[in-house]
Amino acid sequence: MSSLMEMPQVVECSIEGCGYNHDHGCHAGAVTIAGHTGDAECATFIPLGTKGGLEKVLAHVGACQRTECVHNASLECSAPSIRVGAGGSGEATADCLTFTPR
């Protein structure tokens, strides 16, 4: 990948408690997917009532640290797009719901 537009877009985020979420759209410039084995959490998640981010931009996946995901190629996401939603702890965490173990 060579540009932001080629990175997978975050097409949905259902975590209302994130400061970057506006009407189910992520307005961070880019997100990082991190976590531990078997978990693919959105490391960009910030639990604030204050809304921020870039008004006219929807997030793309900037980096993926989940090497065991089938969509991970050289720490970049190769999925066409991703969805972010509640993790194992509900609204307290945000996970990449597109994560698929190899």
Side-chain angles (χ1 to χ4, degrees):
M1 285 183 216
S2 60
S3 75
L4 177 65
M5 298 312 295
E6 293 174 318
M7 294 177 185
Q9 188 174 42
V10 180
V11 295
E12 176 188 356
C13 179
S14 58
I15 305 298
E16 294 294 333
C18 181
Y20 290 112
N21 185 323
H22 300 263
D23 299 318
H24 297 281
C26 179
H27 288 268
V31 300
T32 297
I33 304 301
H36 305 286
T37 302
D39 180 35
E41 79 181 40
C42 177
T44 311
F45 169 71
I46 183 164
L48 290 177
T50 303
K51 297 298 180 182
L54 305 168
E55 184 179 326
K56 296 182 180 188
V57 172
L58 291 179
H60 287 78
V61 180
C64 179
Q65 299 172 5
R66 301 292 10 114
T67 57
E68 73 276 14
C69 181
V70 299
H71 302 294
N72 189 311
S74 300
L75 301 178
E76 299 287 333
C77 182
S78 63
S81 62
I82 71 160
R83 293 174 31 254
V84 175
S89 303
E91 287 284 322
T93 61
D95 282 1
C96 175
L97 302 179
T98 309
F99 172 76
T100 306
R102 293 184 194 273

